[in-house]
C-alpha cells in the first residue's frame, strides 16, 4: 500500500504535535514544519529518530519547496493564545494570510488535501449563542484580538477561494478552547494559568467578574474530530469543541477543588474585546462526522495537571 504523506505546519506546537502523533499512528509519514517561535521541540522529541518523521525548521510565511508526494496538509502554524498573538501581532497576521497562501499553493501543486485550523475567534464576541457555523460573527477588526481573528477569517476566505477557483481539496475546522498535555504553562490562557497558580498556592487571577463563559475540549477529542473531518467530504467550516459551558469563576473554583490548593481567587481587569460567552454548537459535527467529545473536564483536567506536575519535576 502506498504510504500517505502528511505535512503538519505548527507541528511542534500544542495541537500540531498531537496531530503528528495521530498521523504516525495512522501509518502516515509526517513532515513537521515549525519555526519554533511558539512551538517547542520537546513536544516532538519522542518522534526524532522515527523513520516516519521528519522535522523542518521553517517559517511557513516564506516559500517552501517540498520534494515528492504530499497527500495531506494540516495548517496549524500560528500563535494561538491571546498573550502570544498580542506579543506577536505581525507574525500572527502573516502566518494566517501569507502562510495560508503558501500552504494552499503547496496543496495545489501536490494535489494534496488541506485542512485549515480556524477558530471560534472568527465569531468574535458573539451575539448568537451557542455558535453555529452559519453565524458570521461579531469581530472588532481594529481591536487587539483583530490580528488573530481577522487573520483566521482571511485564511478561511482564501481557503474557500482556492477550493472554488483552483479546485483544491480543502477542509476548515473551527476549533474552540482546547486543553491537555503539551500546553505551555505560561501561554497566558486561563487553564494553564489557573493550574500553575494553584500548584504554587498563588492567587488565581480571574479577569473581569468571571461571569464570561468558555467551553473546554480535551485534546484527544479534538484530534479525533479533526481526523474525521479530514477524511470526510465537507468543505465548509465545522465546529469542533466541547459544548460543556462554564463561567470562568466556576472554572477557577473547579481548579481549586481538584488541585486541593490553598489559592484564593483575585479579580483583575478584563482584557479588551474579551468574548462574554463561547459555546460550540456541534450538531453539524455530530450528524456529519458522528463525532462528539468523550472526555469530561474532571478527567481531562486530572490528566493535564499530571502532565504539568511531570514537567515541573523535569525543569
Ligand atoms: N482569563 C482569566 N485569567 C487568566 C487568563 C484568562 O480570567 O489568567 C480569562 C480570559 O479573560 C477569558 C477566559 O479566561 O475570559 C479564557 O481566556 P483564554 O486566554 O484561556 O482564551 P480565550 O478563550 O479568551 O481565547
Amino acid at each position: 500500500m502506498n504510504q500517505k504523506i502528511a505535512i503538519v505546519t505548527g507541528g511542534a506546537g500544542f495541537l500540531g504535535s498531537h496531530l503528528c502523533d495521530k498521523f504516525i499512528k495512522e501509518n502516515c509519514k509526517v513532515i513537521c514544519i515549525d519555526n519554533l517561535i511558539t512551538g517547542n521541540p520537546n513536544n516532538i522529541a519522542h518522534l526524532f529518530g522515527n523513520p516516519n518523521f521528519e522535522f523542518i525548521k521553517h517559517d511557513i510565511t516564506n516559500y517552501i519547496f517540498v520534494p515528492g508526494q504530499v497527500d495531506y496538509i494540516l495548517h496549524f502554524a500560528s500563535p494561538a493564545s491571546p498573550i502570544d498573538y498580542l506579543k506577536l501581532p505581525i507574525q500572527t497576521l502573516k502566518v494566517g494570510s501569507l502562510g495560508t497562501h503558501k500552504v494552499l499553493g503547496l496543496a495545489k501543486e501536490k494535489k494534496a488535501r488541506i485542512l485549515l485550523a480556524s477558530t471560534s475567534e472568527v465569531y468574535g464576541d458573539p451575539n448568537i449563542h451557542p455558535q453555529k457555523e452559519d453565524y458570521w460573527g461579531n469581530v472588532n477588526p481594529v481591536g487587539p484580538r483583530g490580528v488573530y481573528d481577522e487573520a483566521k477569517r482571511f485564511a478561511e476566505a482564501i481557503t474557500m477561494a482556492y477550493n472554488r477557483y483552483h479546485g483544491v481539496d480543502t477542509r476548515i475546522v473551527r476549533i474552540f478552547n482546547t486543553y491537555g498535555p503539551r500546553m505551555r504553562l505560561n501561554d497566558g490562557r486561563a487553564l494553564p494559568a489557573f493550574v500553575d497558580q494553584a500548584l504554587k498556592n498563588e492567587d488565581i487571577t480571574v479577569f473581569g467578574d468571571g461571569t464570561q463563559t468558555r467551553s473546554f475540549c480535551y485534546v484527544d477529542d479534538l484530534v479525533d474530530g479533526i481526523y474525521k473531518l479530514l477524511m470526510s467530504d465537507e468543505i465548509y467550516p465545522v465546529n469542533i469543541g466541547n459544548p460543556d459551558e462554564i463561567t470562568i469563576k466556576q472554572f477557577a473554583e473547579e481548579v481549586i477543588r481538584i488541585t486541593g490548593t490553598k489559592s484564593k481567587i483575585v479579580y483583575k481587569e478584563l482584557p479588551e474585546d474579551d468574548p462574554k460567552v463561547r459555546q460550540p454548537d456541534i450538531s453539524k459535527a455530530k450528524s456529519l462526522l458522528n463525532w462528539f467529545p468523550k472526555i469530561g473536564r474532571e478527567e481531562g483536567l486530572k490528566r493535564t495537571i499530571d502532565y504539568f506536575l511531570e514537567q515541573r519535576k523535569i525543569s
Side-chain angles (χ1 to χ4, degrees), residues 17-281:
S17 64
H18 284 281
L19 286 165
C20 291
D21 287 344
K22 169 72 178 168
F23 281 83
I24 284 185
K25 218 190 281 163
E26 297 292 336
N27 286 321
C28 294
K29 184 173 180 322
V30 170
I31 303 172
C32 164
I33 302 177
D34 203 303
N35 65 354
L36 302 179
I37 60 168
T38 57
N40 183 348
N42 289 340
N43 290 338
I44 46 169
H46 60 288
L47 297 175
F48 284 101
N50 184 323
N52 284 326
F53 182 74
E54 183 185 342
F55 174 68
I56 302 174
K57 185 167 183 289
H58 178 76
D59 177 349
I60 201 65
T61 60
N62 300 313
Y63 179 83
I64 183 164
F65 172 74
V66 179
Q69 162 203 346
V70 176
D71 300 283
Y72 306 126
I73 300 175
L74 295 116
H75 183 38
F76 277 68
S78 178
S81 80
I83 277 199
D84 284 344
Y85 53 75
L86 295 184
K87 245 190 298 183
L88 302 162
I90 312 290
Q91 288 93 330
T92 303
L93 281 157
K94 281 175 74 179
V95 75
S97 55
L98 307 179
T100 306
H101 182 225
K102 294 289 177 295
V103 291
L104 284 164
L106 185 62
K108 177 169 161 245
E109 164 71 22
K110 302 287 183 185
K111 299 190 173 36
R113 181 176 294 181
I114 177 165
L115 181 141
L116 168 72
S118 186
T119 166
S120 54
E121 282 285 324
V122 301
Y123 302 121
D125 187 6
N127 295 321
I128 301 280
H129 192 65
Q131 293 75 55
K132 243 182 152 61
E133 290 87 348
D134 59 5
Y135 175 48
W136 294 349
N138 177 38
V139 170
N140 174 5
V142 295
R145 299 173 89 105
V147 298
Y148 184 62
D149 302 9
E150 297 295 7
K152 290 292 188 182
R153 289 171 67 96
F154 174 88
E156 288 196 7
I158 194 172
T159 299
M160 288 311 298
Y162 266 68
N163 179 286
R164 289 182 180 126
Y165 302 107
H166 288 313
V168 173
D169 192 13
T170 59
R171 306 286 180 272
I172 299 173
V173 59
R174 288 187 181 150
I175 298 170
F176 283 66
N177 293 68
T178 303
Y179 68 100
R182 301 187 195 153
M183 267 188 123
R184 285 189 354 251
L185 258 185
N186 64 350
D187 84 353
R189 287 183 170 116
L191 190 143
F194 291 176
V195 171
D196 189 40
Q197 289 159 345
L199 295 179
K200 293 177 178 156
N201 290 309
E202 289 174 357
D203 288 342
I204 295 200
T205 54
V206 166
F207 298 162
D209 60 6
T211 54
Q212 70 273 32
T213 68
R214 292 295 185 273
S215 310
F216 297 99
C217 183
Y218 189 68
V219 63
D220 291 2
D221 281 331
L222 187 92
V223 165
D224 180 39
I226 287 171
Y227 190 78
K228 285 186 167 147
L229 174 59
L230 182 73
M231 296 306 155
S232 80
D233 291 331
E234 180 62 22
I235 62 162
Y236 288 101
V238 179
N239 290 339
I240 299 284
N242 189 324
D244 185 5
E245 186 183 17
I246 186 170
T247 71
I248 291 300
K249 178 168 182 279
Q250 285 168 333
F251 179 61
E253 289 162 352
E254 194 169 276
V255 171
I256 290 174
R257 177 176 59 77
I258 292 176
T259 55
T261 181
K262 296 191 187 67
S263 300
K264 297 270 173 298
I265 293 176
V266 296
Y267 294 89
K268 299 251 158 134
E269 206 182 325
L270 190 69
E272 202 179 326
D273 294 335
D274 197 281
K276 284 181 262 318
V277 288
R278 184 181 291 152
Q279 182 191 31
D281 180 320

Side-chain angles (χ1 to χ4, degrees), residues 272-304:
E272 202 179 326
D273 294 335
D274 197 281
K276 284 181 262 318
V277 288
R278 184 181 291 152
Q279 182 191 31
D281 180 320
I282 58 164
S283 42
K284 185 171 175 183
K286 266 188 182 155
S287 61
L288 203 76
L289 311 174
N290 189 25
W291 176 88
F292 51 90
K294 300 194 176 89
I295 299 162
R297 220 176 27 247
E298 181 102 14
E299 170 62 21
L301 259 177
K302 283 188 179 143
R303 292 191 202 177
T304 309

